[in-house]
Amino acid sequence: MTFDNNIRSEIKIENLNGKEGVAIYYSSLPFWLRVPDKIYDYDVIRISLKEMKTQADLVLLTLPNTVQVIDNLNGCTSLKTITYTDSLQPQKGIMNGFPESLLVFPEMIGCTSLESVKIPDNVSFIRQYTFYSCSALTNANTGKNVTSIKQNAFEDCTKLETVTLEAKTTSIEPNAFLNCTSLTTVICLASEPPALDITSFSKKGESESDRYAKKITVLVPFESVEKYKNHEIWGTFKEIKGI
């Protein structure tokens, strides 16, 4: 079943987290994809992009504040802007970022035009390879409820300069920020230093004497500065400052 004759897609009724709604499976994409909030009185709760030649055509994506799952946005090499609308608060208009309804953050492998991203607060972890080779990404905010950043999540984000890790962050897995060779500032709001590996912030082929982490300044809560300075790995970063 399709709902828009100008965009190839299929819709299905599905159940996610106890909520019945519509899933849209797109097989072609325009320059601007505006996903509806309802179809046949059902909320749109999932969107999926099948492998297609038009993925590279997508520049602007507007989502409703009903979507819980986006399967992936891999290969959307022209995608620069993501916005959302809230049917319950239409006076707010179109807002930047992903909707707060989102529970599972999509993979965005190879989205080479994406410059910034904020993870919605309902997301609890960032999956492996989520932002792999997002080579235009300059800043990222992990979202208030993210506790874990998985392996290689930001690998090869070579223009990433600043990342903000919110207060609930407890772990950063090996190679999470591998080869983020422009990264100079990590803002970590966790009062207890998150667990991490010596390779969590590293450069491919680096030696112990030339560890990339030694070039990164870490900003942490004032009361936690000494905890980070005394940490086996955090303490080896360039500088720990209180904010």
Side-chain angles (χ1 to χ4, degrees):
M1 184 187 302
T2 62
F3 72 97
D4 188 331
N5 291 329
N6 297 315
I7 303 173
R8 291 196 301 275
S9 61
E10 179 183 4
I11 67 170
K12 298 179 180 179
I13 304 298
E14 296 186 359
N15 190 298
L16 289 176
N17 300 302
K19 179 177 181 178
E20 192 171 57
V22 166
I24 307 176
Y25 293 83
Y26 290 98
S27 53
S28 72
L29 292 173
F31 170 88
W32 178 16
L33 176 62
R34 186 162 186 166
V35 180
D37 61 340
K38 287 184 180 293
I39 298 176
Y40 305 129
D41 293 327
Y42 286 97
D43 286 345
V44 174
I45 58 175
R46 180 179 195 157
I47 68 169
S48 179
L49 309 184
K50 298 179 179 178
E51 290 297 322
M52 63 188 89
K53 293 180 180 179
T54 58
Q55 256 168 272
D57 294 341
L58 182 65
V59 175
L60 171 59
L61 174 63
T62 299
L63 300 161
N65 201 15
T66 57
V67 170
Q68 296 181 17
V69 175
I70 303 170
D71 286 340
N72 75 74
L73 293 171
N74 296 340
C76 294
T77 55
S78 300
L79 181 61
K80 294 189 71 171
T81 305
I82 298 156
T83 60
Y84 71 96
T85 58
D86 192 335
S87 58
L88 297 178
Q89 302 182 69
Q91 72 278 7
K92 288 189 175 181
I94 296 178
M95 293 162 280
N96 288 326
F98 286 88
E100 292 301 325
S101 57
L102 197 65
L103 300 179
V104 179
F105 199 81
E107 288 183 352
M108 303 190 72
I109 296 172
C111 291
T112 53
S113 298
L114 188 72
E115 295 179 355
S116 66
V117 67
K118 181 184 182 304
I119 311 297
D121 290 344
N122 284 329
V123 174
S124 61
F125 65 94
I126 301 175
R127 293 185 290 182
Q128 189 174 18
Y129 291 109
T130 292
F131 296 104
Y132 177 78
S133 199
C134 289
S135 54
L137 191 66
T138 59
N139 66 83
N141 186 308
T142 60
K144 291 183 179 179
N145 287 306
V146 167
T147 60
S148 178
I149 302 169
K150 302 301 183 184
Q151 294 184 34
N152 308 91
F154 289 88
E155 181 178 347
D156 280 345
C157 292
T158 52
K159 289 187 178 179
L160 185 65
E161 298 173 356
T162 304
V163 62
T164 300
L165 308 175
E166 294 284 354
K168 291 186 179 180
T169 307
T170 58
S171 67
I172 305 166
E173 293 191 357
N175 298 319
F177 292 90
L178 178 64
N179 222 42
C180 294
T181 51
S182 297
L183 189 61
T184 58
T185 305
V186 174
I187 302 169
C188 189
L189 302 179
S191 58
E192 294 295 326
L196 76 166
D197 185 80
I198 197 75
T199 65
S200 295
F201 295 87
S202 61
K203 183 175 64 175
K204 293 176 181 177
E206 71 180 13
S207 62
E208 174 57 31
S209 62
D210 188 37
R211 285 186 56 234
Y212 190 78
K214 295 179 179 180
K215 302 176 182 179
I216 299 173
T217 296
V218 183
L219 306 180
V220 304
F222 275 112
E223 65 275 13
S224 300
V225 168
E226 291 306 312
K227 291 180 181 179
Y228 280 82
K229 285 184 175 181
N230 294 327
H231 189 275
E232 181 182 5
I233 298 175
W234 286 111
T236 65
F237 282 60
K238 176 183 177 181
E239 192 173 15
I240 308 290
K241 290 184 176 181
I243 53 174

